[in-house]
C-alpha cells in the first residue's frame, strides 16, 4: 500500500480519484512482452500506467495488426471501455517491466460515478486518445517505411536492449507498421550498411540511436 500511495502522490491521482476508491487499488506488475489487455476480451478494470512502457496495437476485421502508439506514465487503459462498457478495443503489451495501478470498474462506479473531477479527467483523457489515434493513422499512411521502421525500433528498444530478428518476428513487425516482410528486410539491410544497427539471425541491436532518430525525425509513435 505504501508504493501505491507513492504513485498516487507522484502522479496527482489523489486529486483525481475520490478517497473511497483508494482502498480498492492494487499494484500489478508485468514482464516485457506480457499482454495486459487483449482486444475483444471483456473489460472489467481500469489500468493506470505508473512505471514502464507499453505498446498499443489494433487488429482489423481482416486480421491485420497495426501499432497505434507506445505509452509512458501516466496513462490510463480502459477508460473508453469503462464509459461504454464494451470489450477492450485494442491489445496492450508491456515493452519494458511495467507497473500499473488497477481498479475494478464497479468500484470506481460505486464511488466516483457522479464525481465532477473524475468525469473531467476521463473526458480529457479520451479526447486526447482520439486525437492521437488520428495522428497515428496518418503516420502509417503517409510516412515511408524507413521512417516507420526506425520509429518502431526506437520505441521497442530502450537503451541497452535488443529486438528479435527471426522470420516470424520480422513478419510481425511488418504487420504492425503496415508494410511487407520483404520491405522490412530490405530496410533493415540498409540500416546495417549505414551502421545504424547490427543484426544476426536472432536479434537486432541498435548501434547508432542518434542516427535512427535522425531517420525517424519528429514523427515517432510516441
Amino acid at each position: 500500500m505504501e508504493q501505491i500511495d507513492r504513485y498516487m502522490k507522484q502522479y496527482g491521482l489523489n486529486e483525481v480519484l475520490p478517497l473511497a476508491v483508494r482502498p480498492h487499488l492494487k499494484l500489478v506488475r508485468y514482464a516485457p512482452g506480457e499482454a495486459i489487455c487483449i482486444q475483444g476480451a471483456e473489460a472489467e478494470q481500469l489500468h493506470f500506467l505508473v512505471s514502464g512502457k507499453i505498446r498499443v496495437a489494433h487488429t482489423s476485421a481482416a486480421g491485420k495488426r497495426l501499432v497505434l502508439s507506445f505509452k509512458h506514465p501516466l496513462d490510463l487503459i480502459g477508460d473508453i471501455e469503462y464509459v461504454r462498457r464494451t470489450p477492450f478495443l485494442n491489445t496492450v503489451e508491456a515493452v519494458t517491466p511495467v507497473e500499473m495501478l488497477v481498479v475494478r470498474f464497479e468500484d470506481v462506479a460505486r464511488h466516483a460515478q457522479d464525481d465532477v473531477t473524475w468525469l473531467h479527467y476521463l473526458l480529457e483523457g479520451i479526447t486526447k486518445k482520439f486525437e492521437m489515434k488520428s495522428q497515428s493513422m496518418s503516420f502509417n499512411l503517409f510516412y515511408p517505411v524507413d521512417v516507420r521502421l526506425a520509429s518502431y525500433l526506437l520505441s521497442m528498444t530502450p537503451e541497452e536492449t535488443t529486438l528479435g530478428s527471426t522470420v516470424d518476428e520480422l513478419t510481425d513487425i511488418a504487420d504492425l507498421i503496415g508494410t511487407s516482410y520483404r520491405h522490412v528486410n530490405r530496410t533493415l539491410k540498409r540500416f546495417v550498411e549505414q551502421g545504424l544497427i547490427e543484426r544476426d539471425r536472432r536479434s537486432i541491436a541498435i548501434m547508432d540511436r542518434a542516427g535512427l532518430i535522425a531517420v525517424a525525425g519528429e514523427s515517432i509513435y510516441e
Side-chain angles (χ1 to χ4, degrees):
M1 199 65 184
E2 183 178 340
Q3 182 63 58
I4 291 177
D5 289 339
R6 281 200 294 268
Y7 280 134
M8 292 285 287
K9 183 177 180 180
Q10 180 180 351
Y11 293 110
L13 292 175
N14 288 323
E15 301 171 7
V16 173
L17 288 170
L19 189 61
V21 174
R22 290 177 61 187
H24 301 285
L25 289 165
K26 59 181 179 179
L27 183 63
V28 181
R29 295 180 174 88
Y30 298 90
E34 188 174 355
I36 297 166
C37 305
I38 302 295
Q39 181 177 331
E42 185 177 359
E44 299 178 331
Q45 300 179 119
L46 289 166
H47 298 72
F48 293 88
L49 174 63
V50 292
S51 176
K53 179 194 288 189
I54 58 176
R55 182 183 72 184
V56 183
H58 183 79
T59 303
S60 71
K64 292 292 185 179
R65 294 193 306 150
L66 198 65
V67 172
L68 297 180
S69 61
F70 289 83
K71 302 285 191 178
H72 301 267
L74 176 71
D75 196 75
L76 178 57
I77 302 298
D79 46 0
I80 297 174
E81 293 83 354
Y82 169 77
V83 171
R84 298 184 61 201
R85 291 299 195 271
T86 59
F88 282 114
L89 299 175
N90 303 306
T91 294
V92 180
E93 298 175 332
V95 176
T96 66
V98 162
E99 290 185 323
M100 288 191 156
L101 297 183
V102 179
V103 61
R104 295 184 301 172
F105 286 174
E106 60 188 80
D107 292 324
V108 177
R110 185 184 306 116
H111 300 292
Q113 186 69 38
D114 300 316
D115 187 273
V116 175
T117 301
W118 166 245
L119 294 177
H120 179 76
Y121 179 82
L122 277 180
L123 178 61
E124 184 177 3
I126 290 172
T127 302
K128 287 180 179 178
K129 284 187 176 181
F130 280 113
E131 181 182 353
M132 290 182 65
K133 182 177 181 180
S134 176
Q135 291 174 347
S136 69
M137 294 301 292
S138 297
F139 182 88
N140 279 286
L141 286 171
F142 299 123
Y143 284 87
V145 170
D146 58 342
V147 174
R148 281 180 270 160
L149 182 56
S151 300
Y152 184 83
L153 293 176
L154 289 166
S155 295
M156 285 296 293
T157 53
E159 291 187 36
E160 300 180 1
T161 64
T162 58
L163 189 67
S165 182
T166 64
V167 171
D168 287 343
E169 286 164 326
L170 291 188
T171 301
D172 195 40
I173 292 172
D175 286 345
L176 286 165
I177 67 171
T179 189
S180 68
Y181 164 81
R182 288 184 177 180
H183 207 154
V184 166
N185 204 30
R186 286 197 300 269
T187 306
L188 287 175
K189 287 180 179 178
R190 188 162 66 251
F191 285 174
V192 170
E193 293 169 358
Q194 294 170 346
L196 302 176
I197 64 172
E198 284 188 356
R199 178 186 175 198
D200 57 30
R201 292 184 178 181
R202 299 187 63 85
S203 65
I204 299 167
I206 306 299
M207 304 307 296
D208 183 358
R209 183 167 291 270
L212 276 181
I213 290 173
V215 173
E218 296 296 324
S219 303
I220 61 175
Y221 291 106
E222 301 179 53

